Amino acid sequence: MNIDFIILAAGKGTRMGGDSPKVLASLAGKPMIQHLIDTVDSFPSSKTSIVVGYKSNEVERDLVSQKKLRFVKQKNQLGTAHAVKQALPIIKKNSVAVVLYGDVPLVKKNTLNKLIKSASRGKLSMLTFIKDDPTGYGRIIRSSKKSVQKIIEHKDASSAQKEIREVNSGILAIKASLLQQFISKIKNNNAAKEYYLTDLVEIANNHSVDVVATLCDPYEVGGANDKKELHELERAYQKKLAEDLLKSGVTIADTSRIDIRGDIKIGQNSFVDINNVFEGNNVLGKNVHIGPNCYISNCSIKDNTIVYANTVLEDSVIGKNCKIGPFARIRGGSELTEGAELGNFVESNRSNIGKNSKAKHLTYLGDARLGTKVNVGAGTITCNYDGKNKHKTIIADGTFIGSNSSLVAPLVLGENAYTGAGSVITKDVPKGKLAVARGKQVNLNKKK
Ligand code: UD1
Ligand code: CA
């Protein structure tokens, strides 16, 4: 069976505020319409058309898909039926058409599959939900428990109809041939002077086509028209992600105080304390401990590693049994090997930290490569930037850097070398040598 997804995304979204098209508003770190694209991408033998209008180049630019997206322009936003009409010329006559609204982003694949199945049997199938405050939504008018008579938009509803809390999600499926036939009958004689796609229901009934409306979880088919609704969707989505992690054997200190903006995998018996933000693609191993208030973006953290409070980790790979933080910043493609420790107020940038090497306090490691069992004293700085270029510092196995050393790169410190505390090291230190490069202490007589 061919499936044609039609995603409506031409509106500005005045209620959301701002100049950006509403469908690009961020939900869990990506444009809300992107969630729909990711969902429909996984359907075999399907095509996706997106109806764009307001700031169409921004929408086209920001979306990514495994499939070729077909963008269709709707010059003037004359209503949802008018929007769908723009896509009809490019959809297959023998397909099932599935209409999705770009601001209703969280529908699940399984639910769509059921909808498509029902539409393939010649029905008009749609999804509804119960909303305590249904203001703004189309109300579902049922003639009996099973069948739906029509949809009345909020602006056109009588005060009795406004009491109805079952509302239209906007998501529907119907054979493309029927859609084509019915859509031409939709008029704009309503309060908004728009061509409402919701009029399909009454037209289908008039043509003895069964209308099947399935009540869904509001979380799955709720819309985001304004900041408040978007916030509600975001919180519900985040809670769901956190609960999924709990189910998979991860301990989450508080499911309402974790934000996952992107993809995450966490191994069993790991623990995530409160107020953590995960962005991009993160993979955490088993028995990993993340303390409170960390920001972790595009990182891989292996088994048994502890990240203490208030640590920032970006674009880095952290090996097994490492200890990081509190208050550390690891970034720029750093790589920590098993057992490495970077403690409080340590920053690592584009650096490799070898097995069991340590920098536990107040240190900057930029463009550095540390071998195994290196000990970096408190206050050490790699001076990697001369104002124009970045230079490397190589510190071989077993080297001990005295506290408050300045390592002026480019620099190589051989195996088991030492630097005296407070040294400014500008020349390579051979293997096993102790380099001292600081003013000599003189003890003078005090004036009386
Ligand atoms: C719509 C439904 C309403 C439903 C609600 C669910 C209609 C007439 N009403 O109302 O029954 O309860 O969604 O969320 O369909 N769009 C275009 N071109 C247009 C108009 C809209 O592409 O000319 C797009 C918008 O960008 C948006 C989607 O269609 O992504 C829905 O439009 P919107 O104006 O948000 O409709 P609602 O008032 O929410
Ligand atoms: Ca809407």
Side-chain angles (χ1 to χ4, degrees):
M1 188 199 338
N2 293 315
I3 306 164
D4 260 292
F5 291 104
I6 304 169
I7 307 180
L8 306 190
K12 178 180 181 199
T14 317
R15 286 168 281 177
M16 188 64 78
D19 285 336
S20 190
K22 169 176 56 178
V23 295
L24 294 183
S26 174
L27 177 69
K30 62 185 175 192
M32 60 173 146
I33 188 175
Q34 186 66 49
H35 289 264
L36 285 175
I37 291 168
D38 294 348
T39 305
V40 302
D41 262 356
S42 63
F43 280 81
S45 58
S46 76
K47 293 222 154 72
T48 304
S49 307
I50 304 181
V51 183
V52 289
Y54 178 75
K55 295 203 173 171
S56 57
N57 26 0
E58 279 183 34
V59 179
E60 291 183 35
R61 183 195 62 201
D62 288 2
L63 301 184
V64 286
S65 171
Q66 290 154 18
K67 291 186 180 161
K68 193 177 175 298
L69 297 173
R70 305 184 299 174
F71 291 97
V72 180
K73 288 250 159 66
Q74 184 196 25
K75 236 177 161 189
N76 298 307
Q77 282 71 66
L78 304 181
T80 44
H82 181 260
V84 169
K85 216 172 171 180
Q86 311 309 305
L88 288 184
I90 62 162
I91 75 171
K92 286 215 172 80
K93 300 275 173 295
N94 62 352
S95 71
V96 166
V98 184
V99 179
L100 301 166
Y101 289 0
D103 63 346
V104 183
L106 294 179
V107 63
K108 290 190 193 123
K109 185 179 180 186
N110 199 19
T111 309
L112 288 178
N113 259 327
K114 286 187 202 153
L115 198 72
I116 292 163
K117 224 179 195 173
S118 152
S120 70
R121 297 196 195 105
K123 299 174 197 297
L124 165 57
S125 303
M126 46 187 280
L127 305 177
T128 67
F129 65 107
I130 303 290
K131 201 163 192 307
D132 288 336
D133 175 9
T135 309
Y137 284 75
R139 308 298 203 279
I140 305 296
I141 314 290
R142 288 188 181 263
S143 43
S144 70
K145 233 189 169 179
K146 277 198 161 162
S147 63
V148 176
Q149 204 184 337
K150 57 180 175 180
I151 300 175
I152 295 278
E153 288 304 308
H154 182 86
K155 282 183 181 162
D156 302 290
S158 66
S159 48
Q161 286 165 335
K162 279 185 182 147
E163 296 294 311
I164 297 171
R165 287 162 52 243
E166 186 184 1
V167 297
N168 172 32
S169 73
I171 297 170
L172 63 84
I174 185 170
K175 280 185 171 172
S177 51
L178 291 174
L179 180 63
Q180 189 114 39
Q181 187 192 336
F182 297 161
I183 213 162
S184 57
K185 300 185 193 302
I186 295 177
K187 306 222 159 52
N188 69 345
N189 47 357
N190 51 52
K193 293 274 170 293
E194 280 186 11
Y195 296 89
Y196 290 158
L197 188 63
T198 44
D199 286 355
L200 268 188
V201 174
E202 206 175 1
I203 296 168
N205 277 320
N206 292 342
H207 288 77
S208 307
V209 165
D210 281 353
V211 180
V212 185
T214 311
L215 255 180
C216 290
D217 184 345
Y219 153 78
E220 199 187 334
V221 295
N225 290 302
D226 53 28
K227 290 264 184 328
K228 182 168 177 278
E229 283 185 337
L230 181 62
H231 175 261
E232 282 164 5
L233 225 51
E234 176 83 37
R235 290 335 311 159
Y237 186 65
Q238 291 299 343
K239 201 158 176 79
K240 171 82 179 32
L241 291 177
E243 284 168 1
D244 287 349
L245 285 172
L246 284 177
K247 275 186 214 146
S248 74
V250 178
T251 305
I252 305 289
D254 182 349
T255 55
S256 63
R257 283 185 288 173
I258 171 171
D259 272 40
I260 297 165
R261 303 172 191 156
D263 297 320
I264 196 162
K265 276 201 196 106
I266 308 185
Q268 287 199 334
N269 290 325
S270 287
F271 170 76
V272 180
D273 213 328
I274 58 164
N275 295 339
N276 280 292
V277 176
F278 294 92
E279 219 159 68
N281 200 352
N282 290 294
V283 181
L284 280 61
K286 289 183 205 154
N287 206 25
V288 169
H289 178 110
I290 308 292
N293 311 319
C294 297
Y295 170 80
I296 299 178
S297 160
N298 296 315
C299 284
S300 158
I301 304 175
K302 305 277 177 350
D303 300 353
N304 307 319
T305 281
I306 304 176
V307 178
Y308 293 102
N310 303 302
T311 289
V312 174
L313 302 175
E314 294 165 297
D315 307 311
S316 294
V317 176
I318 317 294
K320 287 184 189 170
N321 300 310
C322 290
K323 288 184 181 160
I324 304 173
F327 296 98
R329 183 178 186 205
I330 315 299
R331 63 185 182 120
S334 291
E335 197 169 335
L336 275 69
T337 313
E338 192 177 342
E341 292 183 30
L342 297 181
N344 39 274
F345 306 104
V346 172
E347 176 178 350
S348 164
N349 193 12
R350 293 183 303 275
S351 291
N352 289 50
I353 316 298
K355 195 171 170 186
N356 296 326
S357 286
K358 295 181 177 129
K360 296 188 71 159
H361 333 265
L362 302 153
T363 286
Y364 174 65
L365 298 168
D367 299 297
R369 179 144 27 99
L370 278 60
T372 61
K373 286 194 174 171
V374 170
N375 195 310
V376 178
T380 295
I381 304 286
T382 53
C383 310
N384 61 327
Y385 186 48
D386 60 14
K388 256 194 189 154
N389 297 307
K390 305 264 165 76
H391 301 282
K392 290 198 162 42
T393 303
I394 313 285
I395 307 175
D397 299 352
T399 289
F400 184 100
I401 310 293
S403 295
N404 209 29
S405 292
S406 297
L407 307 175
V408 182
L411 203 61
V412 178
L413 289 91
E415 275 169 48
N416 300 315
Y418 277 75
T419 70
S423 290
V424 178
I425 306 292
T426 54
K427 286 185 253 163
D428 290 354
V429 183
K431 194 170 155 180
K433 297 279 184 188
L434 164 64
V436 182
R438 63 185 184 214
K440 271 207 171 137
Q441 180 173 338
V442 278
N443 294 335
L444 304 172
N445 291 326
K446 281 197 276 180
K447 266 189 187 164
K448 289 241 167 89

